[in-house]
Amino acid sequence: MPEKFDVIVVGAGPSGTSCAYKCAQAGLKVLQIERGEYPGSKNVMGGVLYRKQMEAVIPEFWKDAPVERAIVEQRAWLLDKDSMVTTSVKNNSWEEEPCNNYTILRAKFDQWFANKAVEAGSLLINETVVLECIVEEGKVVGVRTDRPDGDVYADVVVLADGVNSLLAKKLGYHNELKPEEVALTVMEVLNLPKEVINDRFNVTDNQGVTIELFGDATKGNLGTAFIYTNKESLNLGVGTTLSSMIKAKMKPYELIEYVKNHPMVSPLIKGAESAEYLAHLIPEGGYYSIPKLYGNGVLLVGDAAQMVNGIHREGSNMAMASGTLAAETIIAAKEKGDFSEETLSSYKTAILDSFIGKDLKKYKDANHTFEEQPQYFKDYIPMINRAASSFLTVDGTSKRDKQKEALKTFTKEKGTFTVVKDLYRAWKVMK
Amino acid sequence: MEENKNAQTIEEKQYLIRFKADTESHLHVLSHDVCIEKCPDKLCTIFCPAEVYKWEDIRMHVGYEGCHECGSCRIGCPHENIKWEYPKGGHGIIFRLG
């Protein structure tokens, strides 16, 4: 007789582990299955962990978890070839506990987090691929793994298998993803001594900085690059939608070199030593790409459920929140002794009522619009750079004329009507 | 101080990573004829972040051992000509950091 669990969680990333942890804590019999050698060994993230949703799973986690630096400054760079217009928000109160957010290294963090679920009573099995869900009479009753005699049964299966959720696809919960629904991102971890990072980023030992780079960082394609500070390394990455990568015929590893060699970036990473190179897809289809989230005996969480807000670089927090909501749904279903589609449907309501559903809905048209209207990245960022640079170049022209000239730059190059139309369109999808 | 401690080429980048390759590939080009006849640009050889795909005269060479398991080739192949699976449990890429 094969073993039966209350819950099987497929995947040991933030969404799966949040769910496993919460269920185990409530006394449910939980099995978590991870395909990697250890949790985190297949996972990649830019590196910003939001405190709030993690704290909802493990209070005061920062006292124990392997976090790198508390982020006190968030910069945005609008890059052109040899210039940039930047904004920054720095707030030293973000360093005071509970901090706003932290940088982390995922392979370290995920191991720690999954281990917490184990301590709470969840059983973790690594190095095991789930091949498919076992469906009996229209109900998911367990999973088939690639181990010998690898069938395991449970009342409910949680698919936390990430952006490439072959399991959800096999169940018919979504079609194959399209190249415009995913961002292909590559990243390098670059080692630098702590003091060098502190000097170059103007921070102290535990303070961290994030920089998002737009415009020339992706050669004008829809996407961003980023530089985040860890204790003694930087995470430097760049990504565009896979469709942009294809259209522009860019090689991701050449694009990251382009960023590293950009005159605004290279002084920050001078002398750094590459420690790791990573590639991953980010599900950025947003609201319209959300698959079927629940069925008889099954729930979808995290990246598998497309819970990423690409506009605000949020994902791990949505993963954790969705894992937590899934756990609450499961605990209530267990009390009822009913894991039918109808009972589990409260999960979808909970998602849509939470910040996840609200934020994804707010930006539902943003990505598609920017994909179809490339001028925001291709034209406006260089124009802003030219206008700002011209305004600040002292060449004997009066300030009034400079101001006029700078403002005229936009309408001269594009025409007033186009500019107004583009501004309206951007406002509409972001409002 | 050496300037080039950072990995610049894809070969140097791939060299930073630990792989535990299976003896069998988890990536399969379904039809090399499709690559020849319908895909002049051989897009997978361009966008694959690990340069897993290399076109060799008449067939696509798949260096699955260096695959990051990102899924781009499955989604990005315009002819749905790549069968994509996860490597067997415990095999494939092993990230240590990010």
Side-chain angles (χ1 to χ4, degrees), chain B residues 44-60:
Chain B
C44 61
T45 66
I46 298 169
F47 67 70
C48 170
E51 209 179 36
V52 162
Y53 295 92
K54 282 183 184 158
W55 183 247
E56 293 175 344
D57 298 329
I58 52 154
R59 69 188 300 280
M60 191 61 79

mmCIF file of all heavy atoms in Angstrom, chain B residues 44-60:
data_model
loop_
_atom_site.group_PDB
_atom_site.id
_atom_site.type_symbol
_atom_site.label_atom_id
_atom_site.label_comp_id
_atom_site.label_asym_id
_atom_site.label_seq_id
_atom_site.Cartn_x
_atom_site.Cartn_y
_atom_site.Cartn_z
ATOM 1 N N CYS B 44 17.217 29.243 -32.038
ATOM 2 C CA CYS B 44 17.660 28.650 -30.767
ATOM 3 C C CYS B 44 19.170 28.805 -30.577
ATOM 4 O O CYS B 44 19.638 28.894 -29.440
ATOM 5 C CB CYS B 44 17.233 27.186 -30.668
ATOM 6 S SG CYS B 44 17.921 26.140 -31.962
ATOM 7 N N THR B 45 19.902 28.871 -31.696
ATOM 8 C CA THR B 45 21.358 29.024 -31.557
ATOM 9 C C THR B 45 21.703 30.440 -31.114
ATOM 10 O O THR B 45 22.819 30.705 -30.702
ATOM 11 C CB THR B 45 22.098 28.730 -32.880
ATOM 12 O OG1 THR B 45 21.740 29.741 -33.834
ATOM 13 C CG2 THR B 45 21.746 27.363 -33.427
ATOM 14 N N ILE B 46 20.720 31.347 -31.234
ATOM 15 C CA ILE B 46 20.961 32.741 -30.848
ATOM 16 C C ILE B 46 20.490 33.003 -29.412
ATOM 17 O O ILE B 46 21.250 33.475 -28.578
ATOM 18 C CB ILE B 46 20.250 33.703 -31.817
ATOM 19 C CG1 ILE B 46 20.822 33.530 -33.224
ATOM 20 C CG2 ILE B 46 20.398 35.152 -31.349
ATOM 21 C CD1 ILE B 46 20.031 34.226 -34.306
ATOM 22 N N PHE B 47 19.226 32.691 -29.115
ATOM 23 C CA PHE B 47 18.693 33.141 -27.811
ATOM 24 C C PHE B 47 18.992 32.194 -26.657
ATOM 25 O O PHE B 47 18.825 32.582 -25.504
ATOM 26 C CB PHE B 47 17.190 33.447 -27.897
ATOM 27 C CG PHE B 47 16.300 32.258 -28.146
ATOM 28 C CD1 PHE B 47 16.108 31.300 -27.174
ATOM 29 C CD2 PHE B 47 15.642 32.113 -29.366
ATOM 30 C CE1 PHE B 47 15.280 30.208 -27.403
ATOM 31 C CE2 PHE B 47 14.809 31.029 -29.606
ATOM 32 C CZ PHE B 47 14.629 30.073 -28.613
ATOM 33 N N CYS B 48 19.424 30.982 -26.925
ATOM 34 C CA CYS B 48 19.727 30.082 -25.802
ATOM 35 C C CYS B 48 20.839 30.692 -24.947
ATOM 36 O O CYS B 48 21.920 30.975 -25.440
ATOM 37 C CB CYS B 48 20.162 28.699 -26.284
ATOM 38 S SG CYS B 48 20.799 27.696 -24.921
ATOM 39 N N PRO B 49 20.574 30.919 -23.659
ATOM 40 C CA PRO B 49 21.548 31.609 -22.809
ATOM 41 C C PRO B 49 22.800 30.792 -22.506
ATOM 42 O O PRO B 49 23.750 31.321 -21.939
ATOM 43 C CB PRO B 49 20.760 31.881 -21.526
ATOM 44 C CG PRO B 49 19.688 30.850 -21.504
ATOM 45 C CD PRO B 49 19.333 30.585 -22.936
ATOM 46 N N ALA B 50 22.791 29.515 -22.871
ATOM 47 C CA ALA B 50 23.961 28.684 -22.573
ATOM 48 C C ALA B 50 24.605 28.155 -23.846
ATOM 49 O O ALA B 50 25.491 27.310 -23.789
ATOM 50 C CB ALA B 50 23.558 27.525 -21.670
ATOM 51 N N GLU B 51 24.177 28.647 -24.973
ATOM 52 C CA GLU B 51 24.669 28.187 -26.283
ATOM 53 C C GLU B 51 24.632 26.660 -26.373
ATOM 54 O O GLU B 51 25.582 26.015 -26.811
ATOM 55 C CB GLU B 51 26.084 28.708 -26.556
ATOM 56 C CG GLU B 51 26.363 28.891 -28.030
ATOM 57 C CD GLU B 51 27.772 29.425 -28.317
ATOM 58 O OE1 GLU B 51 28.722 29.051 -27.605
ATOM 59 O OE2 GLU B 51 27.900 30.216 -29.269
ATOM 60 N N VAL B 52 23.503 26.114 -25.940
ATOM 61 C CA VAL B 52 23.323 24.662 -25.988
ATOM 62 C C VAL B 52 23.188 24.181 -27.433
ATOM 63 O O VAL B 52 23.656 23.104 -27.787
ATOM 64 C CB VAL B 52 22.071 24.259 -25.160
ATOM 65 C CG1 VAL B 52 21.590 22.854 -25.524
ATOM 66 C CG2 VAL B 52 22.365 24.365 -23.675
ATOM 67 N N TYR B 53 22.570 25.032 -28.256
ATOM 68 C CA TYR B 53 22.295 24.621 -29.641
ATOM 69 C C TYR B 53 23.352 25.167 -30.592
ATOM 70 O O TYR B 53 23.643 26.359 -30.598
ATOM 71 C CB TYR B 53 20.903 25.118 -30.060
ATOM 72 C CG TYR B 53 19.815 24.466 -29.244
ATOM 73 C CD1 TYR B 53 19.354 25.069 -28.074
ATOM 74 C CD2 TYR B 53 19.279 23.241 -29.610
ATOM 75 C CE1 TYR B 53 18.379 24.462 -27.297
ATOM 76 C CE2 TYR B 53 18.304 22.628 -28.844
ATOM 77 C CZ TYR B 53 17.856 23.238 -27.691
ATOM 78 O OH TYR B 53 16.903 22.635 -26.923
ATOM 79 N N LYS B 54 23.918 24.244 -31.396
ATOM 80 C CA LYS B 54 24.888 24.663 -32.408
ATOM 81 C C LYS B 54 24.547 23.975 -33.720
ATOM 82 O O LYS B 54 24.357 22.744 -33.755
ATOM 83 C CB LYS B 54 26.304 24.292 -31.977
ATOM 84 C CG LYS B 54 26.867 25.237 -30.941
ATOM 85 C CD LYS B 54 28.295 24.890 -30.571
ATOM 86 C CE LYS B 54 28.770 25.805 -29.459
ATOM 87 N NZ LYS B 54 29.882 25.261 -28.706
ATOM 88 N N TRP B 55 24.465 24.757 -34.767
ATOM 89 C CA TRP B 55 24.121 24.204 -36.070
ATOM 90 C C TRP B 55 25.382 23.665 -36.732
ATOM 91 O O TRP B 55 26.379 24.379 -36.872
ATOM 92 C CB TRP B 55 23.475 25.278 -36.956
ATOM 93 C CG TRP B 55 23.045 24.742 -38.281
ATOM 94 C CD1 TRP B 55 23.583 25.061 -39.497
ATOM 95 C CD2 TRP B 55 22.003 23.789 -38.533
ATOM 96 N NE1 TRP B 55 22.930 24.377 -40.496
ATOM 97 C CE2 TRP B 55 21.970 23.587 -39.932
ATOM 98 C CE3 TRP B 55 21.119 23.083 -37.716
ATOM 99 C CZ2 TRP B 55 21.064 22.702 -40.529
ATOM 100 C CZ3 TRP B 55 20.217 22.205 -38.321
ATOM 101 C CH2 TRP B 55 20.204 22.034 -39.700
ATOM 102 N N GLU B 56 25.354 22.382 -37.078
ATOM 103 C CA GLU B 56 26.518 21.765 -37.715
ATOM 104 C C GLU B 56 26.111 21.208 -39.072
ATOM 105 O O GLU B 56 25.628 20.073 -39.159
ATOM 106 C CB GLU B 56 27.071 20.651 -36.813
ATOM 107 C CG GLU B 56 27.662 21.214 -35.519
ATOM 108 C CD GLU B 56 28.112 20.136 -34.544
ATOM 109 O OE1 GLU B 56 27.706 18.963 -34.702
ATOM 110 O OE2 GLU B 56 28.865 20.470 -33.614
ATOM 111 N N ASP B 57 26.253 22.021 -40.101
ATOM 112 C CA ASP B 57 25.977 21.661 -41.507
ATOM 113 C C ASP B 57 24.539 21.222 -41.765
ATOM 114 O O ASP B 57 23.785 21.922 -42.414
ATOM 115 C CB ASP B 57 26.942 20.576 -41.995
ATOM 116 C CG ASP B 57 28.369 21.063 -41.947
ATOM 117 O OD1 ASP B 57 28.554 22.277 -42.127
ATOM 118 O OD2 ASP B 57 29.286 20.262 -41.697
ATOM 119 N N ILE B 58 24.188 20.028 -41.282
ATOM 120 C CA ILE B 58 22.860 19.529 -41.610
ATOM 121 C C ILE B 58 22.053 19.156 -40.374
ATOM 122 O O ILE B 58 20.910 18.725 -40.494
ATOM 123 C CB ILE B 58 22.927 18.276 -42.538
ATOM 124 C CG1 ILE B 58 23.876 17.247 -41.915
ATOM 125 C CG2 ILE B 58 23.373 18.658 -43.938
ATOM 126 C CD1 ILE B 58 23.581 15.828 -42.325
ATOM 127 N N ARG B 59 22.654 19.287 -39.231
ATOM 128 C CA ARG B 59 21.872 18.926 -38.050
ATOM 129 C C ARG B 59 22.186 19.826 -36.860
ATOM 130 O O ARG B 59 23.229 20.472 -36.806
ATOM 131 C CB ARG B 59 22.060 17.448 -37.695
ATOM 132 C CG ARG B 59 23.437 17.068 -37.186
ATOM 133 C CD ARG B 59 23.550 15.569 -37.062
ATOM 134 N NE ARG B 59 22.580 14.994 -36.132
ATOM 135 C CZ ARG B 59 22.692 14.987 -34.813
ATOM 136 N NH1 ARG B 59 23.719 15.561 -34.249
ATOM 137 N NH2 ARG B 59 21.786 14.407 -34.058
ATOM 138 N N MET B 60 21.225 19.820 -35.952
ATOM 139 C CA MET B 60 21.372 20.657 -34.773
ATOM 140 C C MET B 60 22.060 19.845 -33.678
ATOM 141 O O MET B 60 21.548 18.799 -33.260
ATOM 142 C CB MET B 60 19.979 21.105 -34.306
ATOM 143 C CG MET B 60 20.004 22.187 -33.262
ATOM 144 S SD MET B 60 20.779 23.705 -33.822
ATOM 145 C CE MET B 60 19.440 24.420 -34.781
#
